[in-house]
Amino acid sequence: ADMAAGAVRNFAWGNKPGFLKRTGDGGYVAFVGVCTHLDCNVKFLPEQKRFYCACHKGWYDEDGLNIAGPPPAPLRRLAVVAEGDSLIVKKAA
């Protein structure tokens, strides 16, 4: 509840990075922080509101869509479910 709209936080998704983003409508979306090109880790650059993969200069917009470089697909989305005061992140159906 303390995240502002558009804010992104990282979390561990097993042994991979994950990202949780607060949407403008108060909901949440989550992504696996691994490039869809060659599985390198990506990072979120808040000043540019984009995800970046330094391995081969791949870019994703703030919604995880591939927009430049070699990534062939968007970042993998995860399901986010609110349970009381907790958010549960799990594989999307």
Side-chain angles (χ1 to χ4, degrees), residues 66-91:
N66 48 319
I67 56 172
L75 292 174
R76 187 172 138 219
R77 282 200 176 214
L78 299 166
V80 181
V81 179
E83 290 187 6
D85 290 339
S86 299
L87 293 176
I88 308 299
V89 179
K90 56 187 178 179
K91 289 182 180 179

Side-chain angles (χ1 to χ4, degrees), residues 24-53:
D25 64 2
Y28 294 90
V29 293
F31 310 98
V32 177
V34 175
C35 184
T36 58
H37 175 231
L38 292 175
D39 294 333
C40 296
N41 291 346
V42 301
K43 63 181 177 177
F44 184 72
L45 304 175
E47 62 282 353
Q48 296 184 29
K49 295 185 180 180
R50 293 182 179 177
F51 295 94
Y52 178 64
C53 177

Side-chain angles (χ1 to χ4, degrees), residues 48-65:
Q48 296 184 29
K49 295 185 180 180
R50 293 182 179 177
F51 295 94
Y52 178 64
C53 177
C55 290
H56 300 102
K57 299 181 181 173
W59 290 93
Y60 300 86
D61 70 10
E62 66 182 322
D63 295 317
L65 298 175

Side-chain angles (χ1 to χ4, degrees), residues 9-22:
R9 288 194 182 163
N10 359 358
F11 64 93
W13 177 251
N15 62 350
K16 299 176 181 174
F19 294 98
L20 178 70
K21 179 187 170 196
R22 184 79 185 252

